[in-house]
């Protein structure tokens, strides 16, 4: 059954945190900018167009949901809960910070039918957290995750690559610790420099240098491979293209690409095939046609790199997550494993 989010974007104007990458505006006297009537109108509008036989979640995005007052949280959730009781909505998805989760909050979320909580973890390296002004110990992430999963609520983890103070190793270790958390879903975002943030000033004075697109793809592919190999559902890689993100006045720097995930997957396939070519000196690939674009890469970049060495034949009897190379069948997990094995290991 197809899944649809009904997005409701909230801004937590009362948020006391000043993360260097966030440009959320502070407006005195207002906690947020969404009314309960707004929520009803948004839900009703979506229900008119979404297929009846589909899974629908109301998703509160854009702010630290559990950072707003308990009273307002319950007002918002109770509106959606009425639709859940009528069978029109299947659940609620929220995003919040790990240090804004406790037993009382989790019980409220469970009571009103919240099905997924995504934690904006960003990094599991305490030095990176300090440099981004996220002042909580990593242990808080583990405690929050345990509370969420114990309540029968799906856990999501959001990671940001290339934050101030991060390295290839620290970002990868954040992914290793994410696997220990055993989340149901994950999102991976390369860090962008957004205007009107502290990071924008750091970028201007040279104290922060964002990742290039090439470096971001290379850093991300190992993390993507580890999470996917560990059966964690990666629901987004890279920020979704919007009018604001396509505007150079709002994004001052960083590795934005409208198809960042496809770049990462194409690079994973390139590494896999390159390792085989070095040993066998030929690449005769058979694949389901639905998988060919991932193998050849965006704008056929992998085909250009391999040139005449790469020969591809369509075989729709093969599953999408399986390819045959030089007569040998490889699963997608075997492709991924090449990125996460230690150097020198027999990858295939």
């Amino acid at each position: 059954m197809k899944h649809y989010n009904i997005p409701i974007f909230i801004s937590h104007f009362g948020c006391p945190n000043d993360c260097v990458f966030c440009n959320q505006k502070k407006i005195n006297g207002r906690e947020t900018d969404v009314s309960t009537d707004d929520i009803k109108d948004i839900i009703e509008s979506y229900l008119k167009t979404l297929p009846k036989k589909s899974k629908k979640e109301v998703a509160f995005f854009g702010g630290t949901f559990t950072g707003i007052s308990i009273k307002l949280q319950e007002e918002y959730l109770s509106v959606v809960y009425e639709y859940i009781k009528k069978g029109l909505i299947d659940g609620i998805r929220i995003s919040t910070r790990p240090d804004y989760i406790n037993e009382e909050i989790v019980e409220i979320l469970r009571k009103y039918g919240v099905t997924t909580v995504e934690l904006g973890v960003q990094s599991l390296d305490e030095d990176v957290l300090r440099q981004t002004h996220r002042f909580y110990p990593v242990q808080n992430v583990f405690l929050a995750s345990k509370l969420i999963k114990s309540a029968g609520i799906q856990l999501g983890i959001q990671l940001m690559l290339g934050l101030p103070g991060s390295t290839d190793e620290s970002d990868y270790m954040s992914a290793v610790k994410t696997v220990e958390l055993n989340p149901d879903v994950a999102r991976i975002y390369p860090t962008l420099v957004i205007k009107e943030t502290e990071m924008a000033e750091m970028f201007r004075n040279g104290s922060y240098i964002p990742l290039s697109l090439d470096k971001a793809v290379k850093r991300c592919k190992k993390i993507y491979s580890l999470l996917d190999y560990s059966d964690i559902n990666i629901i987004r890689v890279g920020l979704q293209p919007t009018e604001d993100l396509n505007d150079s006045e709002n994004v001052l720097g960083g590795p934005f690409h409208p198809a960042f995930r496809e770049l990462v997957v194409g690079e994973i396939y390139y590494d896999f095939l390159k390792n085989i070519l070095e040993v066998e000196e030929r690449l005769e690939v058979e694949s389901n046609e639905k998988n060919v674009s991932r193998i050849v890469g965006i704008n056929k970049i992998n085909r250009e790199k391999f040139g005449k060495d790469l020969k591809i034949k369509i075989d729709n009897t093969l599953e999408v997550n399986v390819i045959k190379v030089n007569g040998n069948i490889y699963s997608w997990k075997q492709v991924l494993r090449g990125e996460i094995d230690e150097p020198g290991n027999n990858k295939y």
Side-chain angles (χ1 to χ4, degrees), residues 56-319:
K56 308 172 191 70
E57 280 187 323
V58 169
F60 288 99
F61 291 132
T64 303
F65 186 86
T66 60
I68 60 180
S69 65
I70 295 291
K71 179 177 180 293
L72 190 54
Q73 286 183 57
E74 293 202 77
E75 287 179 9
Y76 282 176
L77 294 172
S78 62
V79 170
V80 186
Y81 191 54
E82 292 303 312
Y83 290 91
I84 292 175
K85 289 192 292 187
K86 294 175 184 177
L88 298 172
I89 298 293
D90 297 288
I92 302 170
R93 176 184 295 265
I94 69 161
S95 60
T96 192
R97 285 170 55 114
D99 52 340
Y100 280 63
I101 288 289
N102 57 41
E103 290 184 4
E104 178 190 7
I105 287 173
V106 169
E107 178 55 29
I108 290 170
L109 300 179
R110 187 198 60 77
K111 171 185 171 183
Y112 287 103
V114 171
T115 41
T116 304
V117 175
E118 294 190 36
L119 296 179
V121 170
Q122 322 313 2
S123 175
L124 282 154
D125 181 288
E126 290 190 355
D127 184 53
V128 175
L129 292 176
R130 281 191 292 270
Q131 291 197 45
T132 54
H133 296 176
R134 295 175 71 81
F135 302 108
Y136 56 80
V138 164
Q139 187 61 23
N140 279 24
V141 180
F142 283 83
L143 292 173
S145 299
K146 184 177 180 181
L147 284 173
I148 291 164
K149 292 180 73 70
S150 296
I153 299 173
Q154 285 199 334
L155 173 66
I157 298 294
Q158 300 172 2
L159 296 174
M160 291 181 69
L161 313 182
L163 285 165
S166 70
T167 62
D168 287 351
E169 292 75 19
S170 69
D171 279 347
Y172 186 71
M173 287 311 299
S174 289
V176 171
K177 291 177 181 177
T178 295
V179 172
E180 293 176 21
L181 295 170
N182 192 29
D184 300 282
V185 298
R187 299 176 192 260
I188 309 171
Y189 299 119
T191 300
L192 304 180
V193 180
I194 308 298
K195 73 174 185 179
E196 298 179 4
T197 63
E198 185 174 339
M199 188 180 287
E201 181 58 31
M202 295 164 66
F203 176 63
R204 279 190 286 266
N205 66 31
S207 61
Y208 171 70
I209 300 174
L211 296 175
S212 67
L213 182 60
D214 182 61
K215 286 183 178 179
V217 169
K218 284 180 167 53
R219 185 175 294 192
C220 186
K221 66 183 179 181
K222 287 188 64 178
I223 292 165
Y224 183 102
S225 297
L226 177 63
L227 299 185
D228 201 355
Y229 186 84
S230 302
D231 296 321
I232 297 169
N233 181 17
I234 304 170
I235 56 179
R236 176 156 290 282
V237 183
L239 287 170
Q240 185 172 354
T242 65
E243 194 170 306
D244 285 343
L245 285 179
N246 287 323
D247 184 351
S248 59
E249 291 185 4
N250 291 311
V251 180
L252 306 181
F256 175 70
H257 192 283
F260 189 81
R261 183 181 195 135
E262 286 73 16
L263 287 175
V264 171
V265 172
E267 187 77 6
I268 291 170
Y269 265 115
Y270 173 76
D271 288 349
F272 172 77
L273 295 173
K274 181 173 177 286
N275 284 328
I276 292 177
L277 182 62
E278 288 175 352
V279 175
E280 302 187 18
E281 299 182 348
R282 65 190 178 97
L283 284 177
E284 295 178 3
V285 178
E286 297 175 57
S287 168
N288 188 295
E289 63 184 333
K290 294 180 180 178
N291 201 34
V292 171
S293 62
R294 302 168 77 206
I295 296 170
V296 300
I298 290 182
N299 297 324
K300 300 181 179 179
I301 187 171
N302 290 347
R303 182 179 285 282
E304 290 181 10
K305 288 179 180 178
F306 287 119
K308 295 180 180 178
D309 288 327
L310 177 61
K311 297 179 175 61
I312 297 180
K313 178 182 177 182
I314 302 297
D315 183 354
N316 287 332
T317 65
L318 292 172
E319 296 180 14

